[in-house]
Amino acid sequence: MSTQFRATTLALAVGVALGAAPSYAAEAASSAKEEQVERIAVVGTRSAPRSVADSPVPIDIVGGDELGKNASSDMLDMLQAAVPSFNVRQQPISDAASFIRPVNLRGLSSDSTLILLNGKRRHRASVIAFQGGGVNDGAQGPDISVIPSVALKQVEVLRDGAAAQYGSDAIAGVMNFVLKDAADGGSISVRHGEYYEGDGTQLVVDGNVGLPFTDDGFANLSFQYKTADATSRSVQRPDATDLIGAGNTSVNDPAQIWGNPEIDDDITIFGNVGLDLGDDKEFYMFGNYSDRIATGGYYYRNPQDRGGVFTGTDADDNDIHLVGDMDGLNNGVACPSLPKFANTDNILDDPTYQLIADPNTAVGQNCWAFNELFPGGYTPQFTGEINDTSLTMGTRGEIKSGFLKDALFDISGSVGRNKSTYTLANTVNPSMGSLNNDQPNNAFEAGSYIQLEKSFNADLTKGIDIGLDDDMNFATGIEWRQESFEIISGEQASWQQGPLATQGFSVGSHGFAGFSPESQGINTRQSIAAYVDVEAYVTEDLLLGAALRYEDFSSFGDTTNYKLTAQYQLTDELSLRASHSTGFRAPTVGQANVVNTQTSLVNGELIQSATFPPTHPVSVQKGGVELEPEESESFAIGLVYQSGDFFMTVDAYQIEVTDRVAQTDKFFIDQDDVDALQGEYPSPELLLGGSITYFANNFDTKTQGIDVVMNYGMELMGGDTKLSLAYNYNKTDVENRKPTIDPKTGLPVLDDDGNLTYATSDFKVRRLEEGIPEHRATLTFAQSWEDVSMFVRGNYFGEWFATHADEPDVDSSYGWSETVGSSFTLDAEVSYFVNDNWTLSAGANNILDTDAQELQKNGGAYGVVGAKFYESGPFDYNGGFYYVKAQYNF
């Protein structure tokens, strides 16, 4: 296969050429040709691959080896260390978002960044981040964490809107993960590490091998196996301390764990295959199989205070301790009443409770209090099994005859599937009362979500002579996609209405109610798109490009978007570049159809909170309407400077997004709502006292920022030295917040003071605007000698709005929150090359063990959630993490 063919078909396969600066030092001029190829971007334009300095839009290129220089084995943490405009955080007690963490590029939600694998669209995860930490509330993006660094040649991060080229989701940018394609050689490594605190022990074994696939192809295979223990950064809750002081010996210390989930048997396999078919044509295939099990904690259920399980109210609205009549008829045996007990008292010593708990009496046989099962209260455990598979197959090559002679084609089909199955342990279905004794291990299988996507792509690109210095590159293509979101119901005990359902006890497995048969089903959407893309050097120094894309969706209709790009070479060292584009993000099928019930912390109290589709009768009662796509408009301007071994880019940008899709704030269900829902929804009285949310086009945003990347290579201390600085300023403002509309009158809803009410509260707006630091920077010093290499990386995080547990305190708009000053962490690694095969490494993230921001001890959250640090911090609240690694190359 010719060199020209390899270059041009690679461009067509991977997509559109991005152009920008690498986030680490550029390769020196004396680098080998093979290394130079690694700095070539093949995403962003459908012309031949470009040097990152010759592209009109900014890109970071991070090599697979660079990604591996990190204490974390999670791809999300690796990218955050390499790309300052990329943010991700730990999310304890956030349901499935603890296992598939949402990310942010340029401050926008995770589903505003398009993810590609070898240039082909990557399928979404089935997990919707119902507790997504502000910016990501309700986001549904792909699961990047399944991709191991050992499988990657490089990652290309396009920091510019590209919906006109790729379609939905590319509002903030595009990330392209390029798999290794070597036909020989490989590696295997073992890494062990843990946090300075002595927990979170992690073992990672990974490997890669390149094999010939006949004489004219390759098969490159990678695997990763990982386990990780849970962490705990918890404090004992004051209410648990009071219970222990009152004599309750069944309360754990700590009663609630706040930390990273436990990861079991996380295994991932990736494969990349290519075969030269002759006559300048090639077959390719790549895909993955991944499976992992993760277990995290939930909130503690106080045995004398948790509503819907232990406590409730009577007909006169007095606080009581719930006593359930199991036959519902008293059957001649009246259940005694119990007042609600203070935490400084011990209900277990109360004679009336002891009568209820005595199985040898008629009262004890018919009446039930949950203290009999959990005398010290309980903390549910949430387990998710995440299974992810994908396969892409295609052929590409050059047309040899006819009017399309010399044109390149690429025809491919892809399928991707992500399934998440949820199980709760150490919990109850309160409405079942004493029947919970029959539930094995007090565990419930709550059901599954499945995201399935299929696509077909046909692309064509050809150089056309129009009298310029060089041929104009013309590209066109079509894309068909189908995506479905399926809900599979859980076991009956996880959702059924037991005999105590009408006696003040909650329904469904507590913490995360199982999906009922009413929720079960498949929803599907199809789309078809066509695009044209042209690019040409109008003069020797001026590059212009334009793209136009039309896409039609079966759900909400069609959309047309465009993009314009330009780069002008002022001198041999300096060029200017600019882009302007429109874009869109289609609301996901999951966001439009998901049903979910979870436990949320509201004003210091745990309540059941349900999410319904926006067109569901319960949502419509609160103003829900069918979702529309988000639309965006982006502007960017920048410069590229390169002189010898010094490389610098500066890019300013503005992204305006209208009709952003987000999860609404909670709407509480009162008796008027229950009365209105009679006949529209089965048993609406079971919603009374809880809250509901749905997805809506709630507001607009304007994001403005600047990216600065500088790299310099030199010889120092007898070796090769590389310095790199990357800085991002990013500011998002929420605009045009939509007021809550009364569906009956069509008029805005006013509060008791006559002010407008909004589905997006002031608190959530502040989280969107200030929850991520506006300023972020990394400075890396890398040094290599013949036998030793090392790097030191400093990470700077500007001030941010610290929040906890998603809700403000009842007594203050931001009572559990505060503005936190800037922070600095330091990472380092040293590697010793024993010989040509063996490499030994040791390193640490947050080597100085910089503390995360501690919760205000006089604030409500410190006690209610049992945590020491704010969960929303920009770096890992678990503290320093060290590791050792041995790698064998062959």
Side-chain angles (χ1 to χ4, degrees):
M1 188 180 296
S2 68
T3 303
Q4 179 183 4
F5 175 68
R6 283 185 179 274
T8 51
T9 55
L10 180 62
L12 185 58
V14 179
V16 206
L18 309 173
S23 58
Y24 282 104
E27 301 296 334
S30 60
S31 297
K33 183 178 180 181
E34 180 179 357
E35 292 177 325
Q36 288 285 354
V37 172
E38 299 298 317
R39 314 313 300 182
I40 299 297
V42 287
V43 186
T45 168
R46 288 180 166 88
S47 63
R50 295 189 184 281
S51 158
V52 295
D54 294 333
S55 173
V57 285
I59 183 177
D60 298 303
I61 296 184
V62 186
D65 292 340
E66 293 170 352
L67 288 169
K69 294 177 180 179
N70 193 292
S72 176
S73 61
D74 192 314
M75 179 58 63
L76 303 181
D77 297 319
M78 296 177 187
L79 287 168
Q80 178 170 243
V83 182
S85 57
F86 182 88
N87 289 276
V88 66
R89 59 188 53 168
Q90 301 291 341
Q91 296 210 171
I93 311 187
S94 295
D95 293 333
S98 298
F99 311 145
I100 299 181
R101 295 180 292 156
V103 302
N104 311 104
L105 184 66
R106 287 185 163 176
L108 297 177
S109 62
S110 65
D111 44 17
S112 295
T113 299
L114 178 62
I115 305 300
L116 307 176
L117 183 67
N118 277 1
K120 304 297 181 181
R121 177 184 284 265
R122 181 81 176 158
H123 60 280
R124 300 181 190 279
S126 55
V127 169
I128 299 175
F130 294 108
Q131 298 181 23
V135 176
N136 283 306
D137 284 345
Q140 187 187 5
D143 183 6
I144 302 174
S145 65
V146 303
I147 306 175
S149 63
V150 72
L152 295 175
K153 176 190 290 186
Q154 65 184 38
V155 180
E156 303 162 355
V157 183
L158 168 62
R159 296 177 272 113
D160 197 56
Q165 297 158 315
Y166 292 105
S168 178
D169 304 348
I171 289 178
V174 180
M175 303 182 71
N176 181 41
F177 294 83
V178 183
L179 298 175
K180 291 178 178 177
D181 56 5
D184 55 28
S187 67
I188 185 167
S189 71
V190 178
R191 176 167 54 183
H192 180 274
E194 67 179 25
Y195 287 97
Y196 289 7
E197 293 286 334
D199 57 6
T201 302
Q202 184 183 103
L203 174 67
V204 181
V205 181
D206 61 27
N208 170 265
V209 60
L211 301 169
F213 185 51
T214 75
D215 294 335
D216 300 311
F218 70 88
N220 194 277
L221 307 175
S222 305
F223 81 93
Q224 177 179 275
Y225 174 79
K226 178 171 66 175
T227 62
D229 294 340
T231 66
S232 175
R233 301 296 177 267
S234 310
V235 295
Q236 181 62 298
R237 294 167 47 128
D239 59 343
T241 299
D242 290 342
L243 290 168
I244 294 172
N248 191 328
T249 60
S250 298
V251 179
N252 292 328
D253 188 5
Q256 175 178 311
I257 302 297
W258 198 285
N260 291 358
E262 178 184 1
I263 307 295
D264 290 322
D265 297 331
D266 183 346
I267 185 167
T268 293
I269 300 171
F270 270 77
N272 188 26
V273 176
L275 178 63
D276 189 346
L277 302 176
D279 197 28
D280 281 343
K281 294 180 176 60
E282 180 186 18
F283 164 80
Y284 60 88
M285 177 175 67
F286 55 88
N288 78 285
Y289 170 84
S290 305
D291 191 85
R292 71 180 181 273
I293 298 174
T295 301
Y298 265 18
Y299 295 112
Y300 170 62
R301 271 61 177 173
N302 184 311
Q304 295 176 186
D305 194 33
R306 177 60 176 101
V309 186
F310 297 101
T311 62
T313 56
D314 61 17
D316 297 323
D317 207 28
N318 297 311
D319 291 333
I320 61 172
H321 199 91
L322 289 175
V323 179
D325 178 6
M326 285 303 298
D327 65 19
L329 302 173
N330 280 325
N331 199 24
V333 179
C335 292
S337 61
L338 282 172
K340 182 179 178 181
F341 288 77
N343 291 326
T344 51
D345 297 324
N346 187 1
I347 187 177
L348 304 180
D349 295 333
D350 183 81
T352 303
Y353 166 75
Q354 292 173 348
L355 177 65
I356 295 169
D358 187 349
N360 298 313
T361 66
V363 170
Q365 292 169 7
N366 182 62
C367 303
W368 173 259
F370 271 96
N371 307 74
E372 300 177 51
L373 181 61
F374 289 112
Y378 62 97
T379 304
Q381 295 294 301
F382 185 63
T383 297
E385 180 174 5
I386 314 296
N387 182 270
D388 187 279
T389 55
S390 69
L391 180 66
T392 296
M393 300 175 65
T395 182
R396 56 193 175 217
E398 184 177 344
I399 299 173
K400 296 294 189 178
S401 61
F403 75 99
L404 291 177
K405 183 180 178 181
D406 298 328
L408 299 173
F409 70 88
D410 185 347
I411 300 174
S412 67
S414 300
V415 60
R417 180 180 185 268
N418 185 278
K419 179 181 181 181
S420 51
T421 301
Y422 307 123
T423 301
L424 277 88
N426 198 49
T427 191
V428 296
N429 178 340
S431 69
M432 291 170 57
S434 62
L435 298 179
N436 282 279
N437 288 319
D438 301 327
Q439 193 68 21
N441 301 316
N442 292 113
F444 301 80
E445 184 177 315
S448 304
Y449 292 140
I450 298 177
Q451 177 79 14
L452 178 64
E453 299 183 23
K454 305 172 185 176
S455 64
F456 171 82
N457 292 82
D459 302 284
L460 189 73
T461 184
K462 180 178 172 58
I464 302 175
D465 185 359
I466 58 173
L468 300 175
D469 289 344
D470 200 359
D471 288 351
M472 179 187 73
N473 190 79
F474 175 84
T476 187
I478 59 172
E479 179 181 58
W480 172 87
R481 288 197 297 126
Q482 181 186 80
E483 50 186 310
S484 65
F485 184 80
E486 179 178 3
I487 301 176
I488 298 176
S489 63
E491 63 174 300
Q492 182 173 342
S494 72
W495 51 263
Q496 73 178 17
Q497 299 179 25
L500 304 185
T502 58
Q503 299 181 36
F505 291 84
S506 300
V507 176
S509 48
H510 217 227
F512 189 100
F515 308 138
S516 67
E518 179 203 25
S519 305
Q520 182 168 286
I522 303 176
N523 290 278
T524 303
R525 177 177 70 196
Q526 296 182 13
S527 66
I528 188 167
Y531 72 88
V532 292
D533 191 338
V534 295
E535 189 175 74
Y537 276 96
V538 179
T539 69
E540 183 179 355
D541 297 321
L542 179 61
L543 172 66
L544 297 178
L548 183 69
R549 184 184 185 95
Y550 171 83
E551 191 155 359
D552 185 68
F553 288 81
S554 60
S555 53
F556 59 78
D558 58 2
T559 179
T560 301
N561 293 276
Y562 65 87
K563 182 169 185 176
L564 304 172
T565 60
Q567 185 172 35
Y568 183 69
Q569 197 74 34
L570 291 173
T571 68
D572 291 342
E573 292 84 17
L574 180 65
S575 66
L576 299 178
R577 60 188 180 192
S579 67
H580 167 57
S581 65
T582 62
F584 73 103
R585 189 187 75 79
T588 73
V589 181
Q591 289 170 335
N593 297 282
V594 70
V595 177
N596 177 274
T597 302
Q598 61 187 359
T599 300
S600 297
L601 190 64
V602 178
N603 295 332
E605 300 290 337
L606 294 176
I607 69 165
Q608 294 291 95
S609 181
T611 301
F612 292 102
T615 55
H616 190 281
V618 178
S619 303
V620 172
Q621 176 73 13
K622 294 296 184 180
V625 296
E626 189 170 353
L627 294 176
E628 297 291 336
E630 300 176 353
E631 296 183 349
S632 69
E633 187 172 21
S634 300
F635 299 88
I637 186 169
L639 63 85
V640 180
Y641 179 79
Q642 187 169 19
S643 177
D645 293 327
F646 180 74
F647 185 87
M648 179 180 71
T649 64
V650 180
D651 294 279
Y653 57 87
Q654 176 175 293
I655 308 168
E656 296 180 353
V657 185
T658 58
D659 293 328
R660 276 187 63 166
V661 175
Q663 193 177 9
T664 67
D665 278 345
K666 295 174 178 62
F667 295 98
F668 293 91
I669 302 298
D670 57 24
Q671 188 60 52
D672 290 340
D673 298 318
V674 171
D675 294 341
L677 287 168
Q678 296 294 336
E680 298 289 333
Y681 178 72
S683 304
E685 60 275 1
L686 297 179
L687 298 172
L688 188 64
S691 68
I692 69 106
T693 68
Y694 55 88
F695 289 93
N697 300 97
N698 270 345
F699 49 85
D700 306 336
T701 59
K702 177 188 289 186
T703 300
Q704 297 175 311
I706 298 174
D707 289 321
V708 179
V709 179
M710 291 186 287
N711 302 278
Y712 181 62
M714 58 185 167
E715 292 185 4
L716 188 66
M717 296 182 291
D720 295 326
T721 303
K722 295 179 180 179
L723 293 171
S724 61
L725 171 67
Y727 164 78
N728 171 252
Y729 166 78
N730 191 89
K731 179 72 170 72
T732 295
D733 294 309
V734 174
E735 302 177 336
N736 192 26
R737 226 182 341 160
K738 310 297 191 300
T740 305
I741 301 298
D742 186 331
K744 298 176 182 177
T745 65
L747 299 175
V749 177
L750 305 180
D751 62 18
D752 294 338
D753 297 324
N755 300 314
L756 286 172
T757 62
Y758 300 94
T760 304
S761 67
D762 292 342
F763 175 72
K764 187 170 182 178
V765 167
R766 190 171 180 190
R767 293 197 70 178
L768 284 163
E769 294 183 336
E770 303 176 32
I772 295 175
E774 292 183 5
H775 300 274
R776 168 87 196 286
T778 62
L779 175 63
T780 303
F781 171 83
Q783 181 73 25
S784 62
W785 296 275
E786 184 175 349
D787 298 325
V788 177
S789 71
M790 60 164 287
F791 84 91
V792 178
R793 178 175 55 233
N795 307 286
Y796 172 80
F797 308 92
E799 71 174 28
W800 51 285
F801 179 53
T803 63
H804 205 70
D806 284 335
E807 294 292 337
D809 188 9
V810 65
D811 296 324
S812 170
S813 298
Y814 310 116
W816 292 1
S817 310
E818 59 180 311
T819 298
V820 174
S822 59
S823 304
F824 176 82
T825 65
L826 200 64
D827 309 330
E829 180 184 275
V830 177
S831 296
Y832 173 61
F833 306 105
V834 180
N835 52 41
D836 290 341
N837 302 112
W838 284 99
T839 303
L840 303 179
S841 303
N845 273 15
N846 193 2
I847 197 169
L848 301 179
D849 198 22
T850 301
D851 282 340
Q853 182 68 25
E854 291 193 22
L855 286 163
Q856 303 177 63
K857 289 185 173 58
N858 59 350
Y862 192 85
V864 173
V865 301
K868 185 177 181 181
F869 303 107
Y870 283 106
E871 63 165 331
S872 58
F875 63 94
D876 190 350
Y877 59 80
N878 287 287
F881 183 96
Y882 70 90
Y883 62 96
V884 292
K885 176 181 177 181
Q887 179 170 312
Y888 179 76
N889 299 298
F890 54 87

